[in-house]
Amino acid sequence: MTVDHYFFTELAETDIARASLILVYVGLLTATAIIDLRRFIIPNSLIVALLGLWPVWVAVTGAGPVSHALIGAALVFSFGLVCYSRGYMGGGDVKLIAVLALWATPAGLFPLILYTSVAGGVLSIFWLSPIRPRLAPVIGWAEGQRDNTH
């Protein structure tokens, strides 16, 4: 076996592993979003699955300094705890954003928080709009909480 053959075989296996991990990651996030929209609950099992998948991602991709990602996630979690204590965020949201901060790495923290904030703002506007009572039952949004306005 030549060096070139070995390199391309290893490269292909790494690409398959990365693609597989990304598919699992996206699947877990999709399930999380659907459950959260329907029940306003983010199951701990999905958060733990995302957290458990991160070290595998780091091992496969050789992602940057793990200590930086952990510090970034700790800072996001700390800020989230302050928001939770004031009633601005739910506990599941705090845990989820902290785990996603690991995946985002320090370079991606600002975009993660920005896009999450914008998406939350859009959902809040929709939740307060007069369209929500008619559309929410159709899409199954917040089953059992259709009359809840907070």
Short mmCIF file of all heavy atoms in Angstrom, two decimals, residues 25-26 28-30 32-33 42 46-47 49-51 54 69 72-74 76-77 92-106 108-113 115-116:
data_model
loop_
_atom_site.label_atom_id
_atom_site.label_comp_id
_atom_site.label_asym_id
_atom_site.label_seq_id
_atom_site.Cartn_x
_atom_site.Cartn_y
_atom_site.Cartn_z
N TYR A 25 -25.77 15.00 15.34
CA TYR A 25 -25.89 16.31 15.99
C TYR A 25 -27.14 17.05 15.50
O TYR A 25 -27.94 17.54 16.30
CB TYR A 25 -24.62 17.11 15.70
CG TYR A 25 -24.60 18.53 16.20
CD1 TYR A 25 -24.35 18.81 17.54
CD2 TYR A 25 -24.81 19.60 15.34
CE1 TYR A 25 -24.30 20.12 18.00
CE2 TYR A 25 -24.77 20.91 15.80
CZ TYR A 25 -24.52 21.16 17.13
OH TYR A 25 -24.47 22.45 17.58
N VAL A 26 -27.31 17.12 14.20
CA VAL A 26 -28.47 17.80 13.63
C VAL A 26 -29.76 17.08 14.02
O VAL A 26 -30.77 17.72 14.34
CB VAL A 26 -28.33 17.92 12.09
CG1 VAL A 26 -29.63 18.36 11.44
CG2 VAL A 26 -27.21 18.88 11.74
N LEU A 28 -30.30 15.33 16.77
CA LEU A 28 -30.56 15.63 18.18
C LEU A 28 -31.09 17.05 18.35
O LEU A 28 -32.04 17.28 19.13
CB LEU A 28 -29.29 15.44 19.01
CG LEU A 28 -28.84 14.00 19.22
CD1 LEU A 28 -27.44 13.96 19.82
CD2 LEU A 28 -29.81 13.25 20.12
N LEU A 29 -30.53 18.00 17.63
CA LEU A 29 -31.01 19.38 17.72
C LEU A 29 -32.41 19.52 17.16
O LEU A 29 -33.24 20.27 17.70
CB LEU A 29 -30.06 20.33 17.00
CG LEU A 29 -28.79 20.69 17.74
CD1 LEU A 29 -27.93 21.63 16.90
CD2 LEU A 29 -29.10 21.31 19.08
N THR A 30 -32.70 18.80 16.08
CA THR A 30 -34.04 18.85 15.50
C THR A 30 -35.06 18.27 16.48
O THR A 30 -36.12 18.87 16.70
CB THR A 30 -34.07 18.08 14.17
OG1 THR A 30 -33.12 18.67 13.27
CG2 THR A 30 -35.45 18.10 13.54
N THR A 32 -34.75 18.13 19.69
CA THR A 32 -34.83 19.09 20.79
C THR A 32 -35.76 20.24 20.44
O THR A 32 -36.61 20.63 21.24
CB THR A 32 -33.42 19.62 21.13
OG1 THR A 32 -32.58 18.53 21.48
CG2 THR A 32 -33.46 20.62 22.27
N ALA A 33 -35.61 20.79 19.25
CA ALA A 33 -36.44 21.92 18.82
C ALA A 33 -37.91 21.53 18.75
O ALA A 33 -38.79 22.27 19.22
CB ALA A 33 -35.96 22.44 17.47
N ILE A 42 -37.16 20.84 27.39
CA ILE A 42 -36.01 20.27 26.69
C ILE A 42 -35.55 19.09 27.54
O ILE A 42 -35.02 19.29 28.64
CB ILE A 42 -34.89 21.31 26.52
CG1 ILE A 42 -35.38 22.49 25.69
CG2 ILE A 42 -33.67 20.66 25.87
CD1 ILE A 42 -34.39 23.63 25.57
N LEU A 46 -31.63 14.50 25.84
CA LEU A 46 -31.10 15.06 24.59
C LEU A 46 -29.89 15.95 24.86
O LEU A 46 -28.93 15.95 24.09
CB LEU A 46 -32.19 15.84 23.86
CG LEU A 46 -33.33 14.98 23.30
CD1 LEU A 46 -34.43 15.84 22.73
CD2 LEU A 46 -32.81 14.00 22.27
N ILE A 47 -29.93 16.70 25.95
CA ILE A 47 -28.79 17.54 26.31
C ILE A 47 -27.58 16.67 26.64
O ILE A 47 -26.46 16.94 26.20
CB ILE A 47 -29.15 18.47 27.48
CG1 ILE A 47 -30.20 19.49 27.01
CG2 ILE A 47 -27.92 19.19 28.02
CD1 ILE A 47 -30.81 20.32 28.10
N ALA A 49 -27.05 13.67 25.54
CA ALA A 49 -26.59 13.06 24.29
C ALA A 49 -25.71 14.04 23.50
O ALA A 49 -24.66 13.65 22.98
CB ALA A 49 -27.78 12.62 23.45
N LEU A 50 -26.11 15.30 23.43
CA LEU A 50 -25.29 16.31 22.75
C LEU A 50 -23.96 16.51 23.47
O LEU A 50 -22.91 16.64 22.83
CB LEU A 50 -26.03 17.64 22.67
CG LEU A 50 -27.16 17.71 21.64
CD1 LEU A 50 -28.07 18.91 21.91
CD2 LEU A 50 -26.59 17.76 20.23
N LEU A 51 -24.01 16.51 24.78
CA LEU A 51 -22.78 16.66 25.57
C LEU A 51 -21.87 15.45 25.37
O LEU A 51 -20.66 15.60 25.20
CB LEU A 51 -23.14 16.82 27.05
CG LEU A 51 -21.98 16.98 28.02
CD1 LEU A 51 -21.17 18.24 27.69
CD2 LEU A 51 -22.51 17.06 29.45
N TRP A 54 -19.97 15.46 22.00
CA TRP A 54 -18.92 16.46 21.79
C TRP A 54 -17.50 15.88 21.92
O TRP A 54 -16.66 16.14 21.04
CB TRP A 54 -19.12 17.66 22.72
CG TRP A 54 -18.07 18.70 22.55
CD1 TRP A 54 -17.92 19.55 21.48
CD2 TRP A 54 -17.00 19.00 23.45
NE1 TRP A 54 -16.82 20.36 21.68
CE2 TRP A 54 -16.24 20.04 22.88
CE3 TRP A 54 -16.62 18.49 24.69
CZ2 TRP A 54 -15.13 20.58 23.51
CZ3 TRP A 54 -15.50 19.03 25.30
CH2 TRP A 54 -14.78 20.06 24.71
N ALA A 69 -12.74 25.86 24.83
CA ALA A 69 -14.16 25.54 24.63
C ALA A 69 -14.85 25.37 25.98
O ALA A 69 -15.98 25.84 26.17
CB ALA A 69 -14.30 24.28 23.79
N GLY A 72 -15.32 28.83 27.55
CA GLY A 72 -16.42 29.52 26.88
C GLY A 72 -17.77 28.98 27.30
O GLY A 72 -18.71 29.74 27.57
N ALA A 73 -17.89 27.66 27.38
CA ALA A 73 -19.15 27.05 27.80
C ALA A 73 -19.48 27.40 29.25
O ALA A 73 -20.64 27.65 29.59
CB ALA A 73 -19.09 25.53 27.62
N ALA A 74 -18.46 27.45 30.10
CA ALA A 74 -18.68 27.81 31.50
C ALA A 74 -19.16 29.25 31.62
O ALA A 74 -20.06 29.55 32.43
CB ALA A 74 -17.40 27.60 32.31
N VAL A 76 -20.81 30.96 29.27
CA VAL A 76 -22.18 30.99 28.75
C VAL A 76 -23.14 30.41 29.79
O VAL A 76 -24.22 30.96 30.02
CB VAL A 76 -22.27 30.22 27.41
CG1 VAL A 76 -23.71 29.99 26.99
CG2 VAL A 76 -21.51 30.97 26.32
N PHE A 77 -22.74 29.32 30.43
CA PHE A 77 -23.58 28.71 31.46
C PHE A 77 -23.78 29.67 32.63
O PHE A 77 -24.90 29.82 33.14
CB PHE A 77 -22.97 27.39 31.94
CG PHE A 77 -23.84 26.64 32.92
CD1 PHE A 77 -25.00 26.04 32.50
CD2 PHE A 77 -23.49 26.56 34.25
CE1 PHE A 77 -25.81 25.35 33.40
CE2 PHE A 77 -24.27 25.88 35.15
CZ PHE A 77 -25.44 25.27 34.72
N GLY A 92 -33.76 24.38 30.92
CA GLY A 92 -33.35 23.58 29.77
C GLY A 92 -32.64 24.41 28.73
O GLY A 92 -31.67 23.97 28.11
N ASP A 93 -33.12 25.64 28.53
CA ASP A 93 -32.48 26.54 27.57
C ASP A 93 -31.05 26.86 28.00
O ASP A 93 -30.14 26.92 27.17
CB ASP A 93 -33.28 27.84 27.44
CG ASP A 93 -34.68 27.60 26.92
OD1 ASP A 93 -34.83 26.80 25.98
OD2 ASP A 93 -35.62 28.21 27.45
N VAL A 94 -30.86 27.08 29.31
CA VAL A 94 -29.52 27.39 29.83
C VAL A 94 -28.58 26.21 29.60
O VAL A 94 -27.45 26.38 29.12
CB VAL A 94 -29.59 27.75 31.33
CG1 VAL A 94 -28.19 27.89 31.92
CG2 VAL A 94 -30.39 29.02 31.54
N LYS A 95 -29.05 25.02 29.91
CA LYS A 95 -28.20 23.82 29.72
C LYS A 95 -27.89 23.62 28.24
O LYS A 95 -26.74 23.31 27.88
CB LYS A 95 -28.89 22.60 30.31
CG LYS A 95 -28.99 22.62 31.83
CD LYS A 95 -29.65 21.38 32.37
CE LYS A 95 -31.15 21.49 32.24
NZ LYS A 95 -31.87 20.39 32.91
N LEU A 96 -28.89 23.80 27.40
CA LEU A 96 -28.69 23.58 25.97
C LEU A 96 -27.70 24.59 25.39
O LEU A 96 -26.79 24.20 24.66
CB LEU A 96 -30.02 23.66 25.22
CG LEU A 96 -29.95 23.47 23.71
CD1 LEU A 96 -29.39 22.08 23.36
CD2 LEU A 96 -31.31 23.68 23.08
N ILE A 97 -27.85 25.86 25.71
CA ILE A 97 -26.94 26.86 25.14
C ILE A 97 -25.51 26.64 25.62
O ILE A 97 -24.55 26.86 24.88
CB ILE A 97 -27.43 28.31 25.40
CG1 ILE A 97 -26.70 29.31 24.51
CG2 ILE A 97 -27.28 28.71 26.84
CD1 ILE A 97 -27.15 29.35 23.11
N ALA A 98 -25.35 26.15 26.85
CA ALA A 98 -24.00 25.86 27.36
C ALA A 98 -23.36 24.71 26.58
O ALA A 98 -22.18 24.77 26.22
CB ALA A 98 -24.04 25.55 28.85
N VAL A 99 -24.14 23.67 26.31
CA VAL A 99 -23.60 22.54 25.53
C VAL A 99 -23.31 22.98 24.10
O VAL A 99 -22.28 22.61 23.52
CB VAL A 99 -24.58 21.34 25.57
CG1 VAL A 99 -24.17 20.28 24.57
CG2 VAL A 99 -24.65 20.76 26.97
N LEU A 100 -24.19 23.79 23.53
CA LEU A 100 -23.95 24.27 22.17
C LEU A 100 -22.72 25.17 22.12
O LEU A 100 -22.04 25.22 21.09
CB LEU A 100 -25.18 25.00 21.64
CG LEU A 100 -26.42 24.14 21.44
CD1 LEU A 100 -27.56 24.97 20.88
CD2 LEU A 100 -26.13 22.94 20.56
N ALA A 101 -22.42 25.85 23.22
CA ALA A 101 -21.21 26.67 23.28
C ALA A 101 -19.95 25.81 23.14
O ALA A 101 -18.95 26.26 22.57
CB ALA A 101 -21.18 27.48 24.57
N LEU A 102 -20.00 24.59 23.67
CA LEU A 102 -18.86 23.68 23.48
C LEU A 102 -18.64 23.42 22.00
O LEU A 102 -17.51 23.45 21.50
CB LEU A 102 -19.12 22.35 24.19
CG LEU A 102 -18.99 22.30 25.69
CD1 LEU A 102 -19.47 20.95 26.20
CD2 LEU A 102 -17.56 22.55 26.12
N TRP A 103 -19.73 23.12 21.32
CA TRP A 103 -19.66 22.81 19.90
C TRP A 103 -19.24 24.02 19.08
O TRP A 103 -18.57 23.88 18.06
CB TRP A 103 -21.00 22.28 19.40
CG TRP A 103 -21.30 20.89 19.82
CD1 TRP A 103 -21.83 20.48 21.01
CD2 TRP A 103 -21.08 19.71 19.05
NE1 TRP A 103 -21.95 19.12 21.01
CE2 TRP A 103 -21.51 18.63 19.83
CE3 TRP A 103 -20.58 19.48 17.77
CZ2 TRP A 103 -21.44 17.31 19.37
CZ3 TRP A 103 -20.52 18.18 17.32
CH2 TRP A 103 -20.95 17.11 18.12
N ALA A 104 -19.64 25.21 19.50
CA ALA A 104 -19.37 26.42 18.73
C ALA A 104 -17.91 26.83 18.80
O ALA A 104 -17.43 27.50 17.89
CB ALA A 104 -20.25 27.56 19.24
N THR A 105 -17.22 26.44 19.84
CA THR A 105 -15.85 26.88 20.14
C THR A 105 -15.86 28.38 20.44
O THR A 105 -16.82 29.07 20.10
CB THR A 105 -14.84 26.57 19.00
OG1 THR A 105 -15.10 27.40 17.88
CG2 THR A 105 -14.85 25.11 18.61
N PRO A 106 -14.81 28.90 21.04
CA PRO A 106 -14.81 30.33 21.39
C PRO A 106 -15.05 31.26 20.19
O PRO A 106 -15.72 32.27 20.32
CB PRO A 106 -13.42 30.54 21.99
CG PRO A 106 -13.07 29.21 22.58
CD PRO A 106 -13.65 28.20 21.61
N GLY A 108 -16.95 30.82 17.73
CA GLY A 108 -18.35 30.80 17.33
C GLY A 108 -19.33 31.22 18.40
O GLY A 108 -20.54 31.19 18.18
N LEU A 109 -18.84 31.64 19.57
CA LEU A 109 -19.75 32.00 20.66
C LEU A 109 -20.61 33.21 20.33
O LEU A 109 -21.82 33.19 20.57
CB LEU A 109 -18.97 32.26 21.95
CG LEU A 109 -18.46 31.05 22.69
CD1 LEU A 109 -17.76 31.47 23.98
CD2 LEU A 109 -19.56 30.06 22.98
N PHE A 110 -20.00 34.25 19.79
CA PHE A 110 -20.78 35.44 19.48
C PHE A 110 -21.87 35.15 18.45
O PHE A 110 -23.03 35.49 18.67
CB PHE A 110 -19.90 36.60 19.03
CG PHE A 110 -20.67 37.84 18.72
CD1 PHE A 110 -21.21 38.62 19.74
CD2 PHE A 110 -20.91 38.21 17.40
CE1 PHE A 110 -21.96 39.76 19.45
CE2 PHE A 110 -21.65 39.35 17.10
CZ PHE A 110 -22.17 40.12 18.12
N PRO A 111 -21.55 34.50 17.32
CA PRO A 111 -22.62 34.17 16.38
C PRO A 111 -23.69 33.26 16.99
O PRO A 111 -24.88 33.45 16.74
CB PRO A 111 -21.90 33.47 15.22
CG PRO A 111 -20.50 33.94 15.31
CD PRO A 111 -20.23 34.18 16.77
N LEU A 112 -23.28 32.30 17.81
CA LEU A 112 -24.25 31.41 18.46
C LEU A 112 -25.23 32.21 19.30
O LEU A 112 -26.45 32.05 19.19
CB LEU A 112 -23.54 30.38 19.34
CG LEU A 112 -24.45 29.53 20.24
CD1 LEU A 112 -25.29 28.57 19.41
CD2 LEU A 112 -23.62 28.78 21.27
N ILE A 113 -24.71 33.10 20.13
CA ILE A 113 -25.57 33.89 21.01
C ILE A 113 -26.41 34.87 20.19
O ILE A 113 -27.60 35.06 20.46
CB ILE A 113 -24.73 34.59 22.09
CG1 ILE A 113 -24.16 33.52 23.03
CG2 ILE A 113 -25.54 35.61 22.86
CD1 ILE A 113 -23.10 34.02 23.97
N TYR A 115 -27.45 34.63 16.93
CA TYR A 115 -28.50 33.94 16.17
C TYR A 115 -29.56 33.36 17.09
O TYR A 115 -30.75 33.37 16.77
CB TYR A 115 -27.90 32.86 15.28
CG TYR A 115 -26.94 33.39 14.23
CD1 TYR A 115 -25.84 32.65 13.84
CD2 TYR A 115 -27.13 34.63 13.63
CE1 TYR A 115 -24.96 33.13 12.88
CE2 TYR A 115 -26.25 35.12 12.68
CZ TYR A 115 -25.18 34.36 12.30
OH TYR A 115 -24.30 34.82 11.36
N THR A 116 -29.13 32.85 18.24
CA THR A 116 -30.09 32.32 19.20
C THR A 116 -31.00 33.43 19.73
O THR A 116 -32.21 33.24 19.87
CB THR A 116 -29.35 31.63 20.36
OG1 THR A 116 -28.53 30.59 19.83
CG2 THR A 116 -30.32 31.03 21.36
#
